[in-house]
Amino acid sequence: MGKLTIGCFASLVGSVSLDFAVKLSDAAVKKGHKVDLWVSGNATMLSKKGQKAFKDYSHLAKTLTELFATGNFQATACEACAEARGYHKDDTMEGWKRHSMDWYLASCFSADRVLHIGGD
Amino acid sequence: MATKRLGFIVRSLPYKTEASRLAMTHAIASQTVEIYLEDGDMVEPVVCFIGDGVLNCLKSQQAMKHYGITSLEQHVKNGLLLDLKIMICKEDIEKLGIKEDSLIMDAEDIGGETKAQIVPYSEIQKEMDSVDHLLFC
């Protein structure tokens, strides 16, 4: 089994890039792989707690909670990108880490494959 | 002890999205990555500007004046100051009518010694083939 590192820059709502990243993470973990998900830029919104499910938009928080429970999934938000958007450690969903960008590069170091998804 | 080479391939326009800025800031973050790695392990980023992404390398950007933010020009210079390998696609600057003297080729004014390289796409392709992981931005 391998380790997949996924970086995503895209926003929570407004593109399907984050949906794809989370679904791909889910599929990889179900196959027995480990996944590190890194979000920076607008994608840091994925780590915001208190997300409400609307039928008009995809809802990723539930999948993330299930992924954290597997023990084979880590997700980390760029601390600076989150702070710049006005949400702080107390606003972050349980299970998420917050680090600077070097965490992502370190995750890339030990990954078998790296995917960089979205940039809008 | 190992070095993993990460290739950031920048295709995005400056200021239109955050992508090119994030590519540069992630690459620059390699300077502090050792805090997460074992002794002797390291990552080495290479940044290649292709397509519309070459516009990130233009001199005399006025981002502070117009947007109140640091410019991509400063990020490129900071990268050169930190000895990042920066490559700019020759064919793409020619397509856009950009001359070498319009591009940020060094960071001598802030003490940098490394220079950017204008290279044919074939050289960038070789770089992409040689890195461990490719990150398109």
Side-chain angles (χ1 to χ4, degrees), chain B residues 69-86:
Chain B
I69 57 173
T70 55
S71 69
L72 269 304
E73 177 175 8
Q74 193 59 47
H75 279 70
V76 172
K77 281 190 176 181
N78 288 343
L80 293 169
L81 180 67
L82 297 171
D83 297 332
L84 295 191
K85 187 172 185 179
I86 294 179

Side-chain angles (χ1 to χ4, degrees), chain A residues 9 38 40-42 81 85 99-106 108-109 111-114 116 119-120, chain B residues 2 4 6 8 17-19 22 25-26 29-30 32-33 35-37 41-43 133 135-137:
Chain A
F9 298 167
W38 164 260
S40 54
N42 287 335
C81 297
R85 284 157 178 80
H99 285 297
S100 50
M101 291 171 173
D102 42 14
W103 182 92
Y104 178 46
L105 301 187
C108 292
F109 177 90
D112 295 293
R113 293 287 185 275
V114 175
H116 218 166
D120 47 338
Chain B
K4 287 286 177 78
L6 309 179
F8 288 87
T17 74
E18 292 179 285
L22 287 169
T25 49
H26 280 77
S30 65
T32 53
V33 71
I35 61 173
Y36 295 106
L37 299 175
D41 290 342
M42 59 186 293
V43 295
H133 297 299
L135 301 104
F136 285 88
C137 305

Side-chain angles (χ1 to χ4, degrees), chain A residues 84-96:
Chain A
R85 284 157 178 80
Y87 71 94
H88 314 292
K89 196 173 181 181
D90 292 347
D91 305 316
T92 306
M93 188 193 301
E94 192 175 342
W96 279 85

